[in-house]
Amino acid sequence: MKIIKGNIIFTPTYDKFEIIKDGYIILSNNKIVGVYNEIPKQYKNYELIDYKDKLIIPGMNDLHCHAPQFRNVGIAMDKELLPWLNDYTFPEESKYKDIDYGKKMYSKFVKEIYKNGTTRVAAFATIHKESTMKLMDILIDSGIGGCVGKVNMDRNSCDSLCEYTMTSINDTLDIIKRYLNKSELVKPIITPRFVPTCSEILLKNLGEIAIKYNLPVQSHLSENIGEINWVKELHPRSKFYGDVYDSYNLFGDTPTLMAHCVHLTDDEINLMKTKNVYAVHCPTSNANLGSGIMPIRKLLNNNVKIAFGSDVSGGHSFSIFKAIVYAIEFSKLIWAQNKEYDFLTLSEAFYIATKGGGSFFGNIGSFEKDYEFDALVIDDSDLNFDNYSLLERLEKFIYLGDDRHIYHRYVSGKLI
Ligand SMILES: O=c1[nH]c(=O)c2nc[nH]c2[nH]1
């Protein structure tokens, strides 16, 4: 048992912050027993870690990013999705055939997400088996939790990234066998890159593997109009983009993340809701690649699960705090044009970054009883120069802070 003391802030629900000044979080192993104003008598003698006036908040969950695009973060944003993939992204990802390059760049990537307060991540690797396993090992060593996908693509890619279908399937199976039980915190995830780069036979096999091993799925959905039209051409009988994944058991038959979701049809939204498919909102990427703005209020009104993704390197920031800010700002731009859709509040965005995204991994992202203790300790002393309330301090840190304000990071009860 352990006791953590400080100014505790979290969002059990979308609509409100729970704030406990000088409060106590009681931990039993990696899980939360409760949050209290005073230490209950029976716990008085346990070890206490006193963070004094610092803020203690849940860790950030990044539910969509591309680790092998590390080199390209902050550059090469002058094109829309499909030419951007061909001209900048695929050439960079091809380099991960070289395991030493993979090791070097994946180490930098993991350091960067660690710095920015990400405690759980869902990451795309590349098609390359050896480099993908390196990324998994580096993540395991870092203490950050999450899942990593070997990317599958066997058509419509450059030669260096176009796999033989059977190689794609066998390499995926090999990684699953090696990593399914290697770590409690880092697991494999089935990762068809997106419909245009996956043949039907590949999609069919990946759906079967996901179900057989009960593995989650991650991919891209309805990000860009050119991409959506291409999917229509490739699959003329499908009702909408997500219907292609659905027909191969890759749309909610196991827990599923679909990144972007900018241009969804109403039927697609309904299916996402019915099958509990997460829409992963990647606001900076959607802006940088000119894809559009995810209609977040419409999705929330339709009870679709939402998480945030940094989507590096379409996105230029590793910080999920920045995703919170951009998501709020973009929702205000939509609201300014159409008052039918209320903008996102701070508590809603904070909930999405913590408990919303965390729910993909289990009881993660809140300080309620039985949640795993994933947390950030924030030292905002240089931002806290007047009589700000605790909520104002959090807001100021979210808008103005950076990794230098993150004093400690916990994942599943362990200081990392
Ligand atoms: O933003 C994106 N980044 C990618 O790497 C990608 N691949 C397919 N679709 C994609 N969208």
Side-chain angles (χ1 to χ4, degrees):
M1 295 281 252
K2 211 176 350 196
I3 305 171
I4 310 276
K5 180 169 188 254
N7 295 312
I8 299 159
I9 309 180
F10 61 109
T11 38
T13 56
Y14 271 108
D15 58 327
K16 90 175 206 316
F17 284 98
E18 190 83 28
I19 300 176
I20 301 120
K21 183 168 169 45
D22 297 322
Y24 301 87
I25 303 173
I26 312 283
L27 301 182
S28 172
N29 298 318
N30 62 336
K31 295 227 173 89
I32 292 165
V33 174
V35 174
Y36 303 91
N37 289 307
E38 299 292 337
I39 308 176
K41 255 204 321 275
Q42 67 269 37
Y43 305 126
K44 284 261 191 258
N45 294 328
Y46 292 109
E47 178 197 358
L48 183 136
I49 301 169
D50 187 354
Y51 285 114
K52 303 216 159 42
D53 195 36
K54 297 184 179 62
L55 309 177
I56 304 175
I57 62 174
M60 294 293 112
N61 299 295
D62 182 350
L63 276 282
H64 183 72
C65 61
H66 293 267
Q69 295 173 17
F70 178 83
R71 181 193 171 276
N72 287 356
V73 175
I75 60 169
M77 311 252 216
D78 55 353
K79 304 206 168 171
E80 283 192 52
L81 175 67
L82 300 175
W84 174 82
L85 285 172
N86 284 320
D87 293 354
Y88 305 123
T89 305
F90 290 168
E92 179 57 21
E93 291 193 14
S94 301
K95 296 183 194 165
Y96 285 71
K97 185 175 188 321
D98 175 352
I99 305 168
D100 290 336
Y101 186 74
K103 187 176 170 199
K104 182 174 98 181
M105 297 308 253
Y106 283 148
S107 300
K108 288 178 189 290
F109 167 82
V110 171
K111 219 176 257 168
E112 208 56 42
I113 60 171
Y114 170 90
K115 252 173 60 181
N116 280 280
T118 293
T119 45
R120 309 260 173 171
V121 65
F124 280 53
T126 59
I127 61 164
H128 311 98
K129 183 173 83 172
E130 301 295 337
S131 289
T132 301
M133 294 192 296
K134 268 278 167 278
L135 173 58
M136 296 188 85
D137 291 336
I138 294 166
L139 204 57
I140 291 169
D141 289 345
S142 77
I144 295 170
C147 44
V148 173
K150 177 223 158 320
V151 170
N152 303 99
M153 40 205 297
D154 70 342
R155 66 171 179 178
N156 295 323
S157 319
C158 59
D159 287 350
S160 52
L161 284 186
C162 200
E163 304 172 284
Y164 289 115
T165 308
M166 275 323 291
T167 310
S168 186
I169 293 164
N170 288 335
D171 284 356
T172 302
L173 284 168
D174 194 24
I175 292 177
I176 291 167
K177 285 189 185 126
R178 292 180 197 221
Y179 283 84
L180 198 54
N181 299 310
K182 182 165 182 177
S183 153
E184 271 300 307
L185 283 176
V186 177
K187 301 285 182 190
I189 180 166
I190 300 300
T191 307
R193 182 174 206 119
F194 67 155
V195 165
T197 57
C198 297
S199 67
E200 298 193 42
I201 184 79
L202 180 58
L203 291 173
K204 179 172 180 298
N205 275 275
L206 293 177
E208 286 168 6
I209 293 170
I211 287 179
K212 178 169 177 199
Y213 293 95
N214 192 25
L215 283 176
V217 171
Q218 61 179 352
S219 196
H220 298 90
L221 179 67
S222 299
E223 175 178 0
N224 165 285
I225 299 292
E227 170 211 21
I228 294 168
N229 289 339
W230 195 14
V231 171
K232 259 188 216 141
E233 273 169 38
L234 293 167
H235 298 267
R237 281 200 295 277
S238 288
K239 289 179 264 181
F240 42 82
Y241 191 156
D243 186 37
V244 183
Y245 295 119
D246 191 42
S247 49
Y248 297 109
N249 300 112
L250 291 163
F251 207 67
D253 294 285
T254 60
T256 300
L257 300 170
M258 285 289 154
H260 301 289
C261 302
V262 175
H263 307 282
L264 300 170
T265 68
D266 287 348
D267 289 342
E268 210 161 21
I269 292 174
N270 264 332
L271 190 63
M272 291 185 80
K273 181 207 155 179
T274 310
K275 300 197 74 177
N276 284 320
V277 172
Y278 285 71
V280 187
H281 187 17
C282 307
T284 80
S285 170
N286 295 339
N288 290 332
L289 299 182
S291 303
I293 304 177
M294 188 177 102
I296 193 159
R297 178 61 63 193
K298 186 172 179 188
L299 293 178
L300 284 171
N301 289 348
N302 280 280
N303 294 316
V304 174
K305 288 177 187 280
I306 316 268
F308 285 138
S310 64
D311 193 28
V312 291
S313 68
H316 61 275
S317 171
F318 294 91
S319 167
I320 292 301
F321 293 109
K322 291 289 166 281
I324 291 176
V325 173
Y326 284 113
I328 293 172
E329 289 179 346
F330 294 167
S331 76
K332 287 179 177 167
L333 297 180
I334 294 189
W335 173 81
Q337 309 274 339
N338 179 358
K339 298 284 188 298
E340 186 191 340
Y341 293 116
D342 271 345
F343 57 77
L344 207 58
T345 65
L346 185 67
S347 74
E348 288 173 321
F350 192 78
Y351 177 98
I352 290 168
T354 55
K355 191 172 175 181
S359 66
F360 187 73
F361 301 106
N363 273 354
I364 308 289
S366 181
F367 293 152
E368 293 157 79
K369 185 173 162 32
D370 290 334
Y371 271 67
E372 290 180 48
F373 186 63
D374 281 20
L376 302 176
V377 180
I378 307 299
D379 180 353
D380 65 333
S381 41
D382 64 331
L383 299 172
N384 182 23
F385 50 81
D386 201 352
N387 275 335
Y388 296 112
S389 69
L390 288 176
L391 183 54
E392 285 170 336
R393 283 174 57 187
L394 175 68
E395 189 172 11
K396 219 169 169 51
F397 162 69
I398 289 173
Y399 275 79
L400 299 183
D402 59 39
D403 57 278
R404 289 168 295 185
H405 297 100
I406 305 179
Y407 181 76
H408 272 167
R409 299 148 179 88
Y410 286 87
V411 175
S412 196
K414 188 165 167 249
L415 186 64
I416 63 165

